[in-house]
Amino acid sequence: MAKIIVVTSGKGGVGKTTSSASFASGLAMRGHKTVVIDFDVGLRNLDLIMGCERRVVYDLINVVNQEATLNQALIKDKHCDNLFVLPASQTRDKDALTEEGVERVLNDLKAMDFEYIICDSPAGIEHGAVMALTFADEAVIVTNPEVSSVRDSDRILGIIQAKSRRALNGGEPVKEHLLITRYVPKRVDAGEMLSYTDVQEILRIPLVGIIPESESVLHASNAGNPAIHIEGSEVSEAYKDVVARFLGEERPLRYTSYEKPGLLQRLFGGK
């Protein structure tokens, strides 16, 4: 049975769409038939990060309005045979997303035997974000280790449990996962950034992973290549760990500690 997973955040710029692309890619790389949907109507960035912007003909709103079929709108990923992208519209208004229309699209995707339906939510609590989380079975909360980002994530957690169909129908609550991005152990050590344990203590939801800060993420995104495909990089390994933990595997946390350079390193140019 398909699982609907919303990837969300309280504020923009935390790496949410980057994480949606790598998380969906990672599930597909593990053999799961996966679709990732861009709910950010009017802005549309997921197709750029997935490297399929030139192949967009129809979008989510076309399918919601029954102007196109899912088979016409879905774009097959260039890296993974069992990964598909459903882009957002750049020209339509967010109000074009209706609860009935979104539910129909999700049900049709389930009927197509997708195992995982990843919903890349807009940041914050506007209409597109609420539509993305309404039908969620699980939620990945993306946050930076900064007070403002964590505070906004705490607000999103409250909205998920208040607005989701699961909450309204009195069923099992949405299962939540914490993903901390742009983590810099050196800055944590210097007291310039919250530690991952601080973030966990504030939000009190299970930690699914920590993604280190890296310039390679920006280069990959600009090239239309999800970060999980940057072979040999810490970021790629960190996203693979996230997917493994999500699937129930035990993985030790990596990229969380800072080793101060020794005297010889400082003398001979060590950072």
Side-chain angles (χ1 to χ4, degrees):
M1 185 163 172
K3 275 190 180 177
I4 300 171
I5 301 147
V6 64
V7 180
T8 185
S9 65
K11 62 181 289 188
V14 300
K16 178 182 49 54
T17 298
T18 295
S19 295
S20 294
S22 286
F23 182 60
S25 297
L27 288 169
M29 288 160 66
R30 296 290 294 266
H32 299 285
K33 188 177 179 183
T34 304
V35 59
V36 57
I37 309 172
D38 191 348
F39 274 83
D40 203 354
V41 177
L43 293 177
R44 200 175 89 185
N45 288 314
L46 180 66
D47 57 305
L48 292 171
I49 290 174
M50 299 294 290
C52 62
E53 71 279 5
R54 293 183 182 177
R55 295 160 59 202
V56 175
V57 179
Y58 296 106
D59 55 54
L60 173 61
I61 299 300
N62 292 133
V63 181
V64 165
N65 290 342
Q66 297 181 299
E67 299 160 350
T69 66
L70 272 171
N71 283 326
Q72 289 174 312
L74 287 171
I75 301 169
K76 192 172 184 178
D77 181 63
K78 62 185 178 182
H79 297 287
C80 307
D81 283 342
N82 50 351
L83 177 59
F84 295 81
V85 181
L86 183 54
S89 170
Q90 268 187 312
T91 57
R92 307 289 269 273
D93 188 83
K94 292 177 175 63
D95 291 332
L97 281 176
T98 64
E99 196 165 306
E100 297 76 20
V102 170
E103 184 173 22
R104 188 181 64 252
V105 170
L106 294 173
N107 286 337
D108 287 348
L109 288 168
K110 289 178 182 179
M112 294 170 74
D113 295 324
F114 281 100
E115 294 175 70
Y116 292 103
I117 300 169
I118 312 301
C119 302
D120 180 33
S121 167
I125 55 172
E126 48 87 5
H127 184 68
V130 173
M131 284 296 102
L133 64 83
T134 295
F135 302 97
D137 298 311
E138 304 193 30
V140 176
I141 315 300
V142 184
T143 187
N144 291 158
E146 301 165 357
V147 172
S148 62
S149 180
V150 173
R151 182 185 62 190
D152 289 346
S153 293
D154 190 42
R155 189 176 180 204
I156 285 292
L157 287 169
I159 291 165
I160 289 170
Q161 298 306 351
K163 299 278 189 182
S164 71
R165 278 277 183 93
R166 280 174 167 255
L168 295 173
N169 293 337
E172 284 285 314
V174 174
K175 187 176 180 181
E176 298 159 339
H177 309 268
L178 174 62
L179 178 60
I180 301 173
T181 54
R182 307 188 72 175
Y183 198 77
V184 186
K186 183 178 180 181
R187 292 188 62 195
V188 173
D189 194 63
E192 299 170 357
M193 185 176 272
L194 295 173
S195 70
Y196 72 90
T197 52
D198 291 333
V199 178
Q200 271 190 291
E201 198 169 311
I202 295 166
L203 296 180
R204 297 196 174 278
I205 59 173
L207 180 67
V208 75
I210 295 171
I211 310 299
E213 175 75 283
S214 173
E215 284 187 14
S216 63
V217 174
L218 179 61
H219 298 317
S221 296
N222 287 339
N225 189 33
I228 199 168
H229 294 306
I230 311 170
E231 284 302 322
S233 69
E234 290 186 349
V235 169
S236 173
E237 293 301 309
Y239 275 119
K240 288 174 184 175
D241 285 350
V242 168
V243 172
R245 288 190 200 99
F246 180 82
L247 293 173
E249 298 174 20
E250 293 286 335
R251 291 285 176 97
L253 277 177
R254 298 192 277 176
Y255 318 120
T256 61
S257 57
Y258 170 64
E259 290 186 19
K260 292 182 180 177
L263 177 61
L264 290 176
Q265 283 178 291
R266 293 199 301 271
L267 288 173
F268 295 102
K271 293 182 181 178

